[in-house]
């Protein structure tokens, strides 16, 4: 039985928040805006971590024209 490490648990939890913020932004928020919003909400994270999680989740921002 493999237990989940604290890092994996934090990444999993943060991933749900990343997905939520991305969806609320109608798919237009990139990693910088998602990270900024999460930090405003009290979820401490770096842009690099959010970019990593967005890649893992298959989330890509749609550029506005």
């Amino acid at each position: 039985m493999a237990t989940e490490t604290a890092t994996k648990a934090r990444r999993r939890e943060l991933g749900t928040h990343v997905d939520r913020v991305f969806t609320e932004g109608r798919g237009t928020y990139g990693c910088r805006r998602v990270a900024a919003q999460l930090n405003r909400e009290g979820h401490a994270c770096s842009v690099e971590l959010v970019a990593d999680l967005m890649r893992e989740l298959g989330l890509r921002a749609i550029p506005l024209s």
Side-chain angles (χ1 to χ4, degrees):
M1 178 171 96
T3 58
E4 187 175 48
T5 64
T7 301
K8 285 186 180 180
R10 180 172 185 271
R11 286 177 68 94
R12 182 178 42 77
E13 180 187 344
L14 197 56
T16 62
H17 294 297
V18 167
D19 188 43
R20 175 184 53 79
V21 171
F22 182 80
T23 303
E24 288 172 358
R26 299 181 312 268
T28 61
Y29 283 14
C31 57
R32 295 175 200 277
R33 288 175 91 183
V34 171
Q37 180 61 36
L38 289 174
N39 280 299
R40 278 193 295 272
E41 294 176 3
H43 305 287
C45 60
S46 67
V47 173
E48 293 81 13
L49 175 58
V50 171
D52 214 23
L53 291 171
M54 285 180 69
R55 258 191 309 278
E56 288 175 14
L57 295 168
L59 303 175
R60 290 190 67 137
I62 301 167
L64 296 176
S65 35

